[in-house]
Amino acid sequence: MISLIGASRLLSNRQIHRVRGLGNPFGFSLPEAIVPRRSRSFAVMASAGDELVKCSVHPNGVAVVTLDRPKALNAMNLDMDVKFKSFLDEWESDPKVKCVLVEGSTARAFSAGMDIKSVVAEIQKDKNTPLVPKVFSAEYSLICKISEYKKPYVSLMDGITMGFGIGLSGHGHFRVITERTLLAMPENGIGLFPDVGFASIAAQSPGEGSVGAYLGLTGQRISTPSDALYVGLGTHYVPSSNLGSLKEALLATTFSEDPFKDIGALLARFSGESESEARLKLLLPHIIACFGANKSVVEITAELRKHQQSSDAKVVEWATDALQGLGKGAPFSLCLTQKHFSRVASALRNNDAELSRLSGVMRTEYRLAVRSSLRNDFAEGVRAVLVDKDQNPKWQPATVEEVEQGEVEALFEPLTPEVELKQSNSFGILDPGNVIISDMPSAALYVPLASVPCASHSWCSFDAICVRHEEEYFGSRHCLRLSDALEFRGGTDAFNQFCSPKHQRP
């Protein structure tokens, strides 16, 4: 989620609406506070988000998104998030659009992340400001849209790409990095945690997620193409001098029936070879020794101190830098990050139905984010890094040893049923194959022809079911738990009707 946090350090040193939502199989929009339903037009751009997110569709079907806040290093605000997603929704169902290209308006940055300054003022007025959950919801919904986009999504990650900048690019199909790309996730430094689904990216990194855990915990920067490709944050290295030609070629492409194949071939033409071997690959045994095997933050710190005694000067330098990175993070945030990343990495290895999918990770991160933002560490971290800029936050607790693990665990607990329902819809967790439920009295459930497994392991097509809180049915044969969703709630008649043989299929 990070905004100008890492970038500022770098530069100083140098109710749910029923709608026909496109791309949403359940027809629900975001929570009403986030995005009201309105007609859209590509020709008219009226809001601030429209001016800062410039979108156009070229004759050959390439839809271009340009993030245009150069003075803020293209940091994203709430209006920009909503506008970006609205265009993606439109384009996904438009047969004229063949692919999406996302770029920054300046070579200095693709995106430095979320513009947290607009949130800071509200937090100072009211620690419980509703703006924070609105921003998280909008960001995470956009990330889920990108990760499951049906058309090729290409990011030109030229320049600073941090926090939410990684969220906008790291989950897309084609991730183009240059020699100017600078990647980092420094959220622990303001009392939050590396969010935007980075735990999912980290879990797929070398060393069974050890490299990603190292980057997330320490906030260390990646500044070479070889490391970016090695970690998996980039798919192609294109020298910055070739970006103009690449874009021209893309806009001149006549797409076949397989745009993914066309773009892959085009990127191969313009890609270059990295000049050096990945430093992180050379350090992999040491990274695994320190950050692997589900080690606690205390154990990680101890291992790094051992590595400071190495006879290899490069290893000593790496361990010292890693310890300094850990030292900048809030102790509570470090423990939260370690637990979250470990759970996601374990889920990926074991094919867990919830956390092995990005949508499930984002639901967990929404819980963590809204609760972390209420802790004193967040306000204090923002004060120290962005407001007073004394770089001397007073964390509570002050040391990792003082962190109560029970308090960390509490952040993972589900939110209220109403909030969980809204976010599940926003993040696309309950897609075809799952069931939307609600504890709210007389809440309607619409699942248009969504197929869900019956207790008998055959399949049923649910068209529309009205779920009422007072009609609870928890018969063990009919209790549906899909992607760790809540229990199915409905009358036995309704359940049996929609599970009747005529609705079943092999």
Side-chain angles (χ1 to χ4, degrees):
M1 155 205 168
I2 208 74
S3 61
L4 302 178
I5 300 164
S8 64
R9 288 174 175 166
L10 174 69
L11 295 177
S12 64
N13 295 331
R14 60 172 259 241
Q15 203 156 36
I16 305 177
H17 295 295
R18 184 80 171 95
V19 300
R20 293 171 56 205
L22 296 175
N24 183 342
F26 295 99
F28 290 107
S29 68
L30 292 172
E32 71 280 4
I34 298 175
V35 51
R37 185 66 173 171
R38 62 182 178 88
S39 61
R40 305 185 185 101
S41 169
F42 292 120
V44 179
M45 295 186 178
S47 72
D50 293 330
E51 297 170 357
L52 302 177
V53 178
K54 297 181 177 179
C55 303
S56 61
V57 178
H58 290 255
N60 72 330
V62 177
V64 179
V65 180
T66 303
L67 308 179
D68 193 20
R69 290 188 74 194
K71 293 183 179 179
L73 299 178
N74 297 327
M76 299 285 289
N77 60 32
L78 180 58
D79 287 340
M80 295 170 70
D81 298 341
V82 172
K83 174 50 57 179
F84 197 145
K85 185 174 183 296
S86 73
F87 278 110
L88 291 182
D89 288 339
E90 295 275 0
W91 292 336
E92 193 166 34
S93 62
D94 186 346
K96 296 188 297 295
V97 175
K98 304 303 180 182
C99 74
V100 176
L101 174 68
V102 187
E103 63 181 359
S105 61
T106 170
R108 296 173 66 201
F110 171 73
S111 175
M114 187 195 85
D115 182 4
I116 200 170
K117 289 187 176 180
S118 61
V119 179
V120 171
E122 294 299 320
I123 292 176
Q124 290 176 326
K125 296 176 188 175
D126 176 10
K127 186 177 180 181
N128 299 316
T129 174
L131 180 62
V132 173
K134 289 179 186 178
V135 169
F136 283 125
S137 185
E139 284 189 357
Y140 294 1
S141 298
L142 177 53
I143 288 170
C144 289
K145 167 61 70 175
I146 292 169
S147 73
E148 299 179 357
Y149 210 58
K150 297 175 183 178
K151 298 179 179 181
Y153 181 97
V154 184
S155 302
L156 301 184
M157 304 160 66
D158 191 28
I160 296 170
T161 306
M162 293 185 177
F164 190 36
I166 290 178
L168 294 175
S169 55
H171 302 290
H173 305 111
F174 300 101
R175 307 179 293 279
V176 180
I177 52 101
T178 74
E179 75 283 358
R180 298 187 299 214
T181 301
L182 182 66
L183 303 156
M185 293 294 295
E187 286 82 355
N188 285 327
I190 57 166
L192 286 176
F193 68 100
D195 61 338
V196 302
F198 187 70
S200 182
I201 296 173
Q204 301 172 63
S205 68
E208 294 190 330
S210 298
V211 173
Y214 154 68
L215 295 171
L217 283 163
T218 64
Q220 293 294 311
R221 298 165 181 164
I222 292 179
S223 58
T224 64
S226 55
D227 277 341
L229 295 171
Y230 179 66
V231 174
L233 287 169
T235 58
H236 296 80
Y237 163 55
V238 176
S240 58
S241 59
N242 290 347
L243 286 182
S245 299
L246 169 62
K247 183 176 178 181
E248 288 179 6
L250 183 60
L251 297 180
T253 296
T254 299
F255 290 96
S256 69
E257 294 183 356
D258 189 352
F260 286 94
K261 183 178 180 180
D262 298 334
I263 293 173
L266 184 65
L267 288 173
R269 278 175 48 199
F270 289 91
S271 293
E273 293 292 331
S274 180
E275 296 181 357
S276 61
E277 187 174 4
R279 175 174 176 265
L280 293 176
K281 182 178 181 180
L282 299 175
L283 290 166
L284 183 60
H286 308 289
I287 294 174
I288 293 175
C290 294
F291 292 88
N294 196 28
K295 287 185 171 63
S296 68
V297 179
V298 171
E299 292 171 329
I300 290 170
T301 301
E303 286 292 338
L304 287 171
R305 286 174 177 159
K306 290 180 182 177
H307 278 69
Q308 283 185 305
Q309 308 305 314
S310 172
S311 58
D312 187 331
K314 292 182 178 178
V315 173
V316 173
E317 179 185 13
W318 168 78
T320 300
D321 289 344
L323 284 168
Q324 290 176 349
L326 290 174
K328 295 178 181 178
F332 188 93
S333 295
L334 294 174
C335 293
L336 177 63
T337 298
Q338 186 278 329
K339 187 170 293 292
H340 177 47
F341 278 41
S342 293
R343 288 183 175 182
V344 175
S346 176
L348 186 66
R349 290 193 297 270
N350 298 312
N351 196 29
D352 176 86
E354 173 77 357
L355 292 179
S356 63
R357 297 182 58 192
L358 180 64
S359 56
V361 173
M362 298 318 301
R363 178 165 66 174
T364 296
E365 291 194 355
Y366 183 80
R367 298 167 183 166
L368 301 179
V370 295
R371 287 170 171 148
S372 293
S373 66
L374 297 178
R375 300 188 73 259
N376 182 75
D377 280 351
F378 179 44
E380 174 61 10
V382 169
R383 179 207 64 76
V385 176
L386 294 177
V387 181
D388 297 339
K389 299 182 180 180
D390 58 25
Q391 310 300 325
N392 187 31
K394 301 295 188 282
W395 304 124
Q396 297 179 8
T399 66
V400 170
E401 289 77 8
E402 296 175 77
V403 175
E404 292 288 341
Q405 293 304 312
E407 292 184 21
V408 176
E409 289 285 351
L411 269 64
F412 289 86
E413 292 298 317
L415 300 165
T416 65
E418 292 82 357
V419 173
E420 290 284 322
L421 175 63
K422 288 182 179 181
Q423 299 314 317
S424 291
N425 281 300
S426 296
F427 304 157
I429 295 172
L430 301 173
D431 53 6
N434 291 339
V435 178
I436 292 181
I437 63 90
S438 172
D439 283 343
M440 295 180 285
S442 303
L445 164 64
Y446 297 94
V447 189
L449 301 180
S451 298
V452 300
C454 294
S456 62
H457 302 292
S458 57
W459 290 80
C460 308
S461 290
F462 285 65
D463 188 3
I465 307 172
C466 185
V467 183
R468 298 179 183 277
H469 177 66
E470 59 269 20
E471 297 179 21
E472 296 185 347
Y473 180 66
F474 292 105
S476 59
R477 288 195 314 115
H478 299 300
C479 182
L480 303 181
R481 284 186 176 273
L482 305 173
S483 297
D484 294 330
L486 298 177
E487 291 87 355
F488 172 87
R489 298 191 178 212
T492 57
D493 292 341
F495 184 90
N496 291 329
Q497 176 185 350
F498 286 96
C499 288
S500 62
K502 68 178 182 179
H503 288 284
Q504 295 182 359
R505 66 179 182 181

